[in-house]
Amino acid sequence: MTSRFVHLHVHSEYSLADSTIRIPELVARCAALGQPSVAITDRNNLFSLVKFYRAAEGAGIKPIAGADVLVAEGDEAAWPLTLLCRDREGYLALSRLLTRAWMQGHRHDGVVVRPAWLHDDHAGLFALAGRHAQAGRLFASGREDLAGAWLGDMQRIYGERFFLELTRCGLDGEAEFNGFALQASSARGIPVVASNDVRFLDADGFEAHEARVCIASGRVLDDPKRPKDYAPGQFLKSSEEMAALFADVPDAIDNTVALAQRCNLELRLGKYYLPAFPVPSDETLDSWIRKESRDGLAARLEKHPLAPGHTRHSYEERLELELDVIIKMGFPGYFLIVADFINWAKDHGIPVGPGRGSGAGSLVAWALGITDLDPLPYDLLFERFLNPERVSMPDFDIDFCMDRRDEVIDYVAAKYGRDRVSQIITYGTMAAKAVLRDAGRVLGHPYGFVDGLAKLIPLQPADPLSLEDAIGRSKRAQRDDSYVVAEFRQRYEEEDDVRDLVDLALQLEDLTRNAGKHAGGVVIAPSPLSDFCPLFAEHDHDGLGRNP
């Protein structure tokens, strides 16, 4: 039987504050429920997209890319709008919107998209307006005429790609907004879609979700004043459950499938896009790398002795052999770019390491100044670094002085364009000791109780223990009891408070907690990076996103 429903509004752990849904579990659940497609709409980001896309495709589920963008003018209260990518055009529009939000839309409470930007980038996007969107807020405050005018504005921007979202999660104001939305749908011809605004996977996942929200907001679960923004019903319901919930509005169910069928984004994963390295007008990348390598080798051999058993001719033969492979594999630009910023650093007195890893086996790298090690005296193999039978990007391990590394990054950004150069995002997760402390705090346990329990978990950076290891539940702990922390397991088995705390922490362990910046990893693109993915940025004192 073909499923009649698709979840179009789902937050994953990559929303960082309001979801406990892990990507593999989401995809597996959708497959088990027979749902052909699912959307992830994390707040103001597409952090999960590649992981989600690969997992969904592998399970035979169509992935729908989207995001809940927060929209506001000036310092007014932000309102959410769910945007879904119809195709690549929509993905690029969403990428530009999110990049603009993180680069230009910083506020004290996060980042926002300005309403005018929706007019600039809307092609290929579907927009879903729910109870918390501007129309819902205006209606709730008694300004129904302004709510109607806003709907008209959205229709002018998105046309038939604009939808009203109905939810029945058990939250205040839902019934009133749904009545307004159905009336507006009839009067204005705006289609409605049913949604469960999903934040956790199972019906019994509400407490862990609330704990996650409290961890992010710094509150405790028993705080009578904390906002109650979510309901126990916001889990990934089956198609049958959703159809029963909206039995009186069957079109809202059927429209989810119809909308999902119109979303067909294909990501080009695994294809390399190298930036253009500037060469003289009468040269090509291929001819220029040959010239620079030959000249560089001649300069090196003037200062360094030939390796035992080698002649100048054997050096030149090895150089030409490597150059043929580099050019055939399409990587001359990569070598020239890396050589350029390494030699710039050396010319400006910035300490650079001699080279590590398999890249030290390249004579071309030595000739260009990328490494400072002649590979021939040590019989180092170029094929370990670059092999035409195993096509993959070359990877030089380069060490720059920590104190002046930012100068090199700034040089690269200035040379290739600051909108084309970025450092790489990293994600912090809730590790065993930290999640124990967080769970203990939101449960209201005394600091000493939680601290004593957390200290039982040994600190092993090279091979960190999980909570499942510590209590003997993990597969490796069942094979090797050296991973089990005996006192921790004993307290878990004998003390109710400890068991409740650890059971909660187990549900939260390894969830993505925050986004950060890789200290040295840098991406250089041939065009603005938003042509490939959205940017995330920390903000400076002027509220603008910092870019290299």
Side-chain angles (χ1 to χ4, degrees):
M1 178 181 174
T2 303
S3 174
R4 282 188 56 208
F5 179 76
V6 170
H7 283 284
L8 299 174
H9 193 178
V10 179
H11 281 202
S12 79
E13 60 176 305
Y14 287 92
S15 277
L16 304 183
D18 65 357
S19 175
T20 57
I21 294 178
R22 298 169 175 87
I23 304 298
E25 295 173 0
L26 170 66
V27 170
R29 181 60 53 84
C30 288
L33 293 174
Q35 294 178 353
S37 185
V38 66
I40 287 185
T41 55
D42 288 325
R43 186 172 61 184
N44 281 339
N45 74 66
L46 289 174
F47 295 162
S48 69
L49 179 57
V50 172
K51 186 176 183 179
F52 168 51
Y53 187 89
R54 285 177 168 155
E57 293 257 297
I61 303 290
K62 182 201 280 190
I64 299 174
D68 278 356
V69 297
L70 296 179
V71 186
E73 191 65 71
D75 291 326
E76 69 180 14
W79 46 268
L81 186 68
T82 302
L83 298 177
L84 303 176
C85 301
R86 181 187 64 192
D87 48 25
R88 179 165 177 78
E89 183 181 35
Y91 171 70
L92 293 177
L94 183 56
S95 178
R96 289 189 294 269
L97 279 172
L98 292 173
T99 297
R100 204 167 175 184
W102 284 103
M103 296 303 296
Q104 303 174 33
H106 275 277
R107 306 194 316 177
H108 68 282
D109 56 351
V111 300
V112 295
V113 167
R114 303 301 183 193
W117 302 350
L118 299 176
H119 292 264
D120 300 335
D121 279 305
H122 61 81
L125 288 172
F126 295 104
L128 279 57
R131 178 172 58 96
H132 292 298
Q134 186 74 321
R137 292 189 176 184
L138 290 169
F139 170 75
S141 63
R143 294 176 286 178
E144 191 169 345
D145 53 337
L146 293 178
W150 183 85
L151 292 176
D153 289 340
M154 289 294 103
Q155 284 184 286
R156 281 186 284 276
I157 296 173
Y158 295 100
E160 44 82 34
R161 292 175 286 114
F162 180 58
F163 294 78
L164 289 170
E165 177 189 10
L166 309 180
T167 60
R168 288 175 175 170
C169 303
L171 292 164
D172 292 341
E174 282 182 325
E176 292 80 3
F177 173 76
N178 288 348
F180 163 75
L182 289 169
Q183 185 179 23
S185 172
S186 176
R188 295 177 173 273
I190 306 172
V192 293
V193 290
S195 159
N196 208 43
D197 196 5
V198 179
R199 305 303 170 100
F200 44 97
L201 204 61
D202 301 302
D204 58 0
F206 181 61
E207 183 186 3
H209 171 267
E210 290 294 274
R212 164 127 214 208
V213 173
C214 286
I215 290 170
S217 60
R219 294 179 177 271
V220 297
L221 285 167
D222 288 338
D223 182 355
K225 296 182 180 179
R226 74 177 178 89
K228 304 293 197 301
D229 295 328
Y230 307 98
Q234 289 181 258
F235 62 95
L236 194 84
K237 292 181 177 176
S238 68
S239 302
E240 292 73 22
E241 287 174 303
M242 290 301 295
L245 195 59
F246 288 90
D248 56 325
V249 197
D251 285 352
I253 295 292
D254 296 335
N255 286 342
T256 64
V257 177
L259 198 160
Q261 289 171 344
R262 296 170 66 186
C263 294
N264 296 287
L265 172 64
E266 292 188 17
L267 295 182
R268 301 167 189 170
L269 302 176
K271 182 177 180 180
Y272 301 123
Y273 296 88
L274 293 176
F277 182 80
V279 298
S281 58
D282 57 341
E283 299 276 2
T284 65
L285 279 175
D286 296 352
S287 66
W288 189 247
I289 194 174
R290 288 189 186 277
K291 179 181 183 305
E292 289 289 286
S293 299
R294 290 164 183 166
D295 291 347
L297 180 63
R300 287 286 199 185
L301 293 181
E302 284 180 10
K303 298 178 181 179
H304 299 272
L306 296 172
H310 287 273
T311 64
R312 191 179 185 93
H313 178 68
S314 67
Y315 269 82
E316 291 171 349
E317 273 192 335
R318 167 75 174 259
L319 186 79
E320 295 302 323
L321 178 67
E322 288 190 17
L323 285 168
D324 288 343
V325 172
I326 291 166
I327 290 169
K328 180 181 178 182
M329 296 181 71
F331 295 134
Y334 175 84
F335 277 75
L336 291 168
I337 289 166
V338 174
D340 175 68
F341 65 71
I342 287 178
N343 288 314
W344 179 89
K346 292 175 179 178
D347 292 343
H348 287 77
I350 299 173
V352 183
R356 289 185 293 112
S358 60
S362 170
L363 188 66
V364 170
W366 185 56
L368 290 174
I370 294 172
T371 63
D372 287 323
L373 181 73
D374 177 358
L376 270 62
Y378 308 100
D379 295 325
L380 300 180
L381 299 177
F382 173 69
E383 290 76 14
R384 286 194 62 192
F385 177 61
L386 206 58
N387 190 329
E389 295 180 5
R390 191 186 72 248
V391 179
S392 61
M393 274 286 287
D395 180 21
F396 287 110
D397 295 315
I398 307 160
D399 297 305
F400 290 104
C401 167
M402 183 174 66
D403 294 335
R404 300 186 64 190
R405 179 172 53 208
D406 288 347
E407 294 178 44
V408 183
I409 295 172
D410 188 67
Y411 166 75
V412 171
K415 185 178 182 76
Y416 296 99
R418 296 192 182 276
D419 61 342
R420 303 179 182 204
V421 176
S422 174
Q423 287 175 266
I424 299 169
I425 198 169
T426 59
Y427 302 107
T429 59
M430 296 184 182
K433 291 170 79 75
V435 77
L436 269 179
R437 295 182 188 278
D438 284 330
R441 182 183 60 77
V442 301
L443 286 172
H445 288 301
Y447 173 81
F449 169 76
V450 178
D451 184 60
L453 197 61
K455 284 180 176 176
L456 293 176
I457 307 290
L459 189 63
Q460 299 176 188
D463 187 21
L465 287 182
S466 70
L467 294 177
E468 286 201 330
D469 290 333
I471 60 176
R473 277 192 196 167
S474 68
K475 289 182 180 178
R476 70 176 187 171
Q478 290 171 4
R479 290 192 303 267
D480 181 358
D481 62 9
S482 67
Y483 288 105
V484 178
V485 180
E487 184 180 351
F488 186 85
R489 178 167 67 176
Q490 182 180 0
R491 292 190 63 183
Y492 175 77
E493 292 172 347
E494 296 177 357
E495 299 178 35
D496 291 342
D497 284 349
V498 172
R499 189 180 309 110
D500 291 343
L501 167 55
V502 174
D503 285 345
L504 176 60
L506 281 166
Q507 297 178 71
L508 301 173
E509 187 178 15
D510 287 333
L511 286 176
T512 304
R513 178 177 194 145
N514 53 44
K517 181 174 66 176
H518 192 287
V522 176
V523 175
I524 310 172
S527 63
L529 278 159
S530 57
D531 292 348
F532 302 91
C533 66
L535 295 182
F536 164 82
E538 299 168 337
H539 65 279
D540 59 23
H541 63 278
D542 293 321
L544 298 176
R546 283 202 298 260
N547 212 32

